[in-house]
Amino acid sequence: MTWRDRRLLELFGSEVPIVQAPMAGAQDAALAIAASQGGALGSIPCALLSVDAAREQAVRFRAACDGPLNLNFFCHAPPQRYDDRAWRHALQPYYDEFGVGFPATPPPLRKPFDEAMCALVEEVHPEVVSFHFGLPEEKLLQRVFDSGALILGCATSVAEAGWLAERDLDAIIAQGWEAGGHAGRFLAADPSSHMGTLALVPQVVDAVAVPVVAAGGIADARGIAAALILGASAVQIGTAYLVTPESRISDLHRRLLGTEAAETTVSTNLFTGRHARGLETRLTRDLGPTSAIVPPFPHGGDALAELRKVDPAAFANMWAGQAARLARADGAEALTRRLAIEALELLR
């Protein structure tokens, strides 16, 4: 038996309908390489990388495997100015408790796709380029099209999927509420309106003509089979890859993903200024998962930098989706192959 819907397999040139989710800060080329060797579309997140670092990651990938490469970029608009005094005041009791303060040097920020990264795409020619938080300005987007790359965008609603489809993307990622990490929302809407994957995927499939990649809460073969039955052409998997030895998460994060703590995730803006799903921590319990006084993305985490160092269990973001407890600690290549075989058996 083979995959019934082969549109994305033929577009990407991958063996199985699995996209290894790009996870900024949690992986490097090693994870993308191993997933690709298992037949998936390997992805490298570039939002936290310099141009030179992104180039080095792409070169590593090309040297290690022949599979298609996806480079992923953010498309947010950084704020020109903001007032973080209320946020610092809210954190002052923690500063006092641990004897730290606001960092003298702000931590590295997530950067949006720009001229320099566009030139890198033209240089390294990834087979796929995916965007989060909408799309870049039209002239940059056209240059990516002209490079020959396939372009994916992320939608958290049917309206966002329609907006992306109008711009002639090759495929659309339908990201459900269950997904770990940042929600890719880019059209104004209350975060509570974000649909779950089971409801979102078939509605996006019905609304657009291009292939759809289902994302969110998919960590085993049952999730893959369900998404494909709902009409998705492929799935994007992130949290299941976090527990592989190729991921770069902290020992604490890895350990917690194997415990009951992974059963409780929250969608929170406290760590970056935008909603992202991760493990519950002291910070989200004390202040609640959402606060209007957190500085805008990507500056929400600036004031937490020193606190993360002294007590990461309380103040570090540890992204995870709602299906984290379904993840099994295989190597990424073995995980990819096993998920594909088991999903085909279920679809049989």
Side-chain angles (χ1 to χ4, degrees):
M1 182 178 179
T2 187
W3 305 103
R4 183 177 61 183
D5 184 344
R6 298 188 57 84
R7 287 178 295 168
L8 284 180
L9 295 180
E10 293 169 1
L11 275 175
F12 295 158
S14 54
E15 298 176 30
V16 300
I18 296 174
V19 178
Q20 166 254 313
M23 298 176 286
Q27 65 155 115
D28 60 13
L31 178 55
I33 291 165
S36 178
Q37 290 171 336
L41 173 62
S43 305
I44 295 176
C46 298
L48 282 169
L49 300 179
S50 67
V51 171
D52 288 343
R55 179 185 295 107
E56 185 273 334
Q57 294 288 303
V59 169
R60 279 182 59 193
F61 182 94
R62 293 295 195 208
C65 60
D66 297 324
L69 170 63
N70 169 33
L71 294 185
N72 175 259
F73 302 94
F74 284 3
C75 294
H76 58 286
Q80 297 301 309
R81 58 178 61 88
Y82 59 94
D83 186 347
D84 66 352
R85 288 175 294 182
W87 182 229
R88 292 199 200 192
H89 179 73
L91 297 176
Q92 190 61 52
Y94 302 118
Y95 291 156
D96 294 341
E97 178 181 348
F98 292 99
V100 300
F102 191 82
T105 303
L109 293 175
R110 295 165 176 84
K111 300 174 183 176
F113 188 69
D114 58 12
E115 170 75 29
M117 283 297 191
C118 190
L120 176 69
V121 167
E122 294 167 327
E123 174 189 342
V124 303
H125 291 288
E127 285 76 12
V128 180
V129 172
S130 61
F131 292 110
H132 212 57
F133 307 136
L135 295 173
E137 59 180 291
E138 187 175 345
K139 66 177 183 179
L140 294 180
L141 182 63
Q142 186 58 53
R143 286 173 58 184
V144 177
F145 273 119
D146 292 343
S147 76
L150 301 167
I151 300 180
L152 276 63
C154 182
T156 66
S157 67
V158 178
E160 288 182 342
W163 187 94
L164 293 171
E166 289 172 358
R167 285 146 181 85
D168 297 324
L169 269 62
D170 296 283
I172 293 171
I173 300 165
Q175 184 197 40
W177 175 246
E178 303 95 326
H182 283 96
R185 175 150 293 182
F186 59 91
L187 296 181
D190 189 306
S192 66
S193 69
H194 191 164
M195 284 191 283
T197 306
L198 194 68
L200 178 64
V201 168
Q203 294 184 62
V204 171
V205 168
D206 290 347
V208 303
V210 297
V212 173
V213 179
I218 301 170
D220 66 6
R222 292 171 296 181
I224 296 172
L228 298 183
I229 289 171
L230 290 172
S233 299
V235 300
Q236 180 168 278
I237 296 176
T239 303
Y241 282 112
L242 286 181
V243 301
T244 67
E246 292 88 357
S247 84
R248 297 187 61 198
I249 60 175
S250 68
D251 291 341
L252 170 65
H253 191 176
R254 192 180 301 275
R255 184 168 67 253
L256 290 175
L257 286 173
T259 70
E260 291 182 359
E263 297 173 7
T264 306
T265 63
V266 293
S267 179
T268 175
N269 73 333
L270 300 189
F271 296 107
T272 68
R274 289 188 78 132
H275 272 269
R277 182 170 296 283
L279 301 181
E280 189 178 47
T281 69
R282 176 186 173 186
L283 187 69
T284 60
R285 288 190 293 269
D286 287 355
L287 303 184
T290 302
S291 173
I293 64 173
V294 179
F297 184 87
H299 294 283
D302 295 1
L304 296 170
E306 297 302 315
L307 291 168
R308 283 196 296 266
K309 294 177 183 177
V310 295
D311 192 351
F315 302 106
N317 52 279
M318 292 178 281
W319 303 142
Q322 289 184 330
R325 286 287 271 166
L326 299 177
R328 288 165 49 184
D330 296 328
E333 178 179 355
L335 169 66
T336 305
R337 294 194 184 281
R338 176 177 60 78
L339 290 177
I341 292 169
E342 291 177 355
L344 276 174
E345 279 297 315
L346 290 172
L347 292 168
R348 194 190 301 273

